[in-house]
Amino acid sequence: MKDHLDLKAYAKINLGLDVIRKREDGYHEVRMIMQTVNLYDRIEMDRTEDGVIRTETNLPFVPDGEGNLAWRAAKLLLDEKGIKDGVTIKIRKYIPVAAGMAGGSTDAAAVLVGVNRMFDLGFTKKELMERGVKLGADVPYCIMRGTALAEGIGEKLKRLPKVPECYVLVGKPGINVSTKTAYENLNLAGIGKHPDIDGLIRDIEDGDLYAMASKMENVFEPGIIRQYPVIGNIKELMEEKGALKAVMSGSGPTVFGIFDNRDKMAAAARSLRKSGLAKTVFATDIYNRDGGVTNDK
């Protein structure tokens, strides 16, 4: 057993996001290309002997205790294995909250991996992913990381080759968009052209960054931009400043732009900050390291 762990929980973007249909159980069938980016929350875990699970965050509006997905992740594994010890989980958030970047899901994924290591539970990555889907559809991917095709409700994952080297500018306006809102603004029957997910996969397999970028699309974008035009404004600014393509991630409102040049991205970041369109701006890159959630400091 380990008494302390330091973990990094990485954010994701959606290079492509399509919604196929609404299922009888109320969930939606999706096809998405998921990609990890080099932006992460820091998580410290300490084993305790009092049997209590505690969570602490640096943001006052992020819930602690049972309302936190990371807390539920720890309880899930500790209860299953009958572990009587407790754990204190300190989360320092850097990933924007309610932003379409899987911030809560990736924290939960990191805690699943961390509890498994801390208490020597012996779960394989696949077994952790099977448990992760009980917490949320994005959690299995956040354990897997890298480049992947996600289908079903997002839990059916297929590893894809690494995307070509590129740089990612992330901009989140000062609004939040729930997944519920995104679906309410989506007219499935009225979609004339769906994102070309198969074409995106071929371009990734071919290592063609420019073809890949040209096909990046998010089926939620039109409905969300109608309600929040600032998202479209951020997209336009990024592309004016050299992004190969700028796309909303997940259910939004975060926008990311793909660049083939770091200096060009840095200049676009300065312009975006100066514009005041985005409350949060990160200039980063693709994170393609293989494996599960890292415990690198």
Side-chain angles (χ1 to χ4, degrees), residues 275-288:
S275 73
L277 293 170
K279 184 178 180 180
T280 307
V281 178
F282 291 98
T284 185
D285 56 11
I286 294 295
Y287 187 83
N288 266 328

Side-chain angles (χ1 to χ4, degrees), residues 147-160:
T147 313
L149 170 67
E151 297 180 291
I153 62 169
E155 87 288 9
K156 297 177 181 176
L157 299 168
K158 177 186 176 183
R159 170 78 66 190
L160 297 176

Side-chain angles (χ1 to χ4, degrees), residues 29-103:
E29 290 277 347
V30 298
R31 294 192 83 214
M32 307 182 289
I33 306 293
M34 313 277 268
Q35 175 62 51
T36 312
V37 293
N38 203 5
L39 167 62
Y40 51 84
D41 293 340
R42 286 189 174 272
I43 298 178
E44 294 181 30
M45 295 178 58
D46 290 283
R47 186 174 66 86
T48 62
E49 295 181 352
D50 59 7
V52 178
I53 302 170
R54 298 178 181 87
T55 54
E56 303 172 16
T57 63
N58 60 315
L59 299 178
F61 52 85
V62 174
D64 291 325
E66 293 184 37
N68 190 299
L69 207 58
W71 186 96
R72 300 206 295 271
K75 183 171 175 56
L76 180 71
L77 293 191
L78 294 178
D79 283 357
E80 179 175 343
K81 289 295 188 176
I83 303 295
K84 300 305 181 186
D85 286 349
V87 61
T88 296
I89 303 162
K90 297 179 181 178
I91 304 172
R92 187 155 190 86
K93 297 287 300 176
Y94 297 98
I95 302 169
V97 177
M101 301 189 77

Side-chain angles (χ1 to χ4, degrees), residues 168-293:
V168 184
L169 178 59
V170 175
K172 179 185 181 291
I175 56 174
N176 294 329
V177 178
S178 69
T179 302
K180 181 174 182 288
T181 298
Y183 277 107
E184 287 173 350
N185 284 275
L186 179 66
N187 177 13
L188 264 177
I191 298 173
K193 178 179 174 291
H194 285 263
D196 185 2
I197 301 298
D198 290 329
L200 261 173
I201 293 171
R202 287 193 297 272
D203 294 335
I204 291 169
E205 291 172 342
D206 291 343
D208 190 334
L209 176 65
Y210 301 95
M212 181 197 84
S214 72
K215 292 185 181 71
M216 294 192 315
E217 283 187 83
N218 182 338
V219 77
F220 286 127
E221 255 189 25
I224 297 298
I225 289 176
R226 278 195 299 271
Q227 188 168 352
Y228 301 105
V230 65
I231 296 170
N233 296 336
I234 294 173
K235 280 169 52 71
E236 290 171 9
L237 187 150
M238 286 187 181
E239 291 176 355
E240 287 171 3
K241 298 300 179 180
L244 302 178
K245 188 80 173 282
V247 180
M248 188 179 80
S249 186
S251 57
T254 299
V255 175
F256 68 91
I258 296 291
F259 290 78
D260 60 1
N261 178 282
R262 188 185 294 274
D263 291 339
K264 200 183 294 183
M265 176 188 65
R270 289 192 292 271
S271 296
L272 184 56
R273 291 188 180 102
K274 187 176 179 180
S275 73
L277 293 170
K279 184 178 180 180
T280 307
V281 178
F282 291 98
T284 185
D285 56 11
I286 294 295
Y287 187 83
N288 266 328
R289 187 183 300 176
D290 290 332
V293 180

